[in-house]
Amino acid sequence: MTETHSISTALVLFSGGQDSATCLAWALDRFARVETIGFAYGQRHAVELDSRAKLIDGMKAIDPAWAAKIGDSHTLDIPTLSAISETALTRDVAIEMGADGLPNTFVPGRNLVFLTFAAALAYRRGITDIVGGMCETDYSGYPDCRDDTIKALNSALSLGMAKDFMLHTPLMWLDKAATWGLADQLGGEALTDLIREHSHTCYLGERGALHDWGYGCGKCPACELRAKGWREFRATAA
Ligand code: ZN
């Protein structure tokens, strides 16, 4: 956390969720310039993508230095990912994966695809630092979030594009409460308030009710995890 990259540009995988919003602030704290990339793949929580502009505007307002650093915001359309994860053909597979302890929200290889597209875009833009919110602590069921996977992909991307990429995963060993803590360190209450109100986590894409931890259905696994993390964070911060 002490290393700085004051002269380089980072590309942040930015979905508009809590984790990627915290990663964006982390990158703004460390890099001279920050670009973002989001993916549209027919996800139910497409509302996440609408949250991005509000979060970016909010971060610009929090710190003029951050405002000066925020560069282009990219969106890539990859509908093929939903074609793979939603066909009747793969539903049987999804049930088997459930028996293996993986939730059926798992989209096989999703983060491998995201990071590969991000690296391809980064290459074109002369960027080697890529930041993602992958985390082992709360999502250990997702093999493409694991540190070993990210390190292996880092090697593969660097070899395959003949470029020294560095994949940064600042949340890898943090639980949700610690992720709120990191946001608090980076931007204080202004940032935790912004993320709470405008970041989106709910799998069902629900924005109806505002809970103390933000908007969401309050019942899906993503909402439960977010609510639990927020309450733990508040308990330790009080
Ligand atoms: Zn939910």
Side-chain angles (χ1 to χ4, degrees), residues 207-222:
R207 294 284 296 170
L210 177 61
H211 308 268
D212 57 345
W213 43 267
Y215 287 97
C217 74
K219 297 181 190 88
C220 75

Side-chain angles (χ1 to χ4, degrees), residues 136-158:
E136 272 205 16
T137 312
D138 283 330
Y139 289 113
S140 55
Y142 288 60
D144 59 343
C145 287
R146 289 181 189 146
D147 196 45
D148 283 350
T149 305
I150 302 300
K151 286 195 165 73
L153 187 62
N154 198 150
S155 298
L157 292 171
S158 294

Side-chain angles (χ1 to χ4, degrees), residues 108-173:
R110 183 175 60 177
N111 284 317
L112 304 181
V113 173
F114 286 174
L115 284 164
T116 302
F117 273 114
L121 182 84
Y123 183 100
R124 285 289 184 207
R125 301 185 67 79
I127 298 170
T128 52
D129 290 284
I130 298 168
V131 183
M134 295 80 193
C135 168
E136 272 205 16
T137 312
D138 283 330
Y139 289 113
S140 55
Y142 288 60
D144 59 343
C145 287
R146 289 181 189 146
D147 196 45
D148 283 350
T149 305
I150 302 300
K151 286 195 165 73
L153 187 62
N154 198 150
S155 298
L157 292 171
S158 294
L159 288 168
M161 298 190 203
K163 194 100 177 163
D164 283 330
F165 286 114
M166 183 70 204
L167 303 187
H168 302 269
T169 53
L171 311 184
M172 183 57 75
W173 310 110

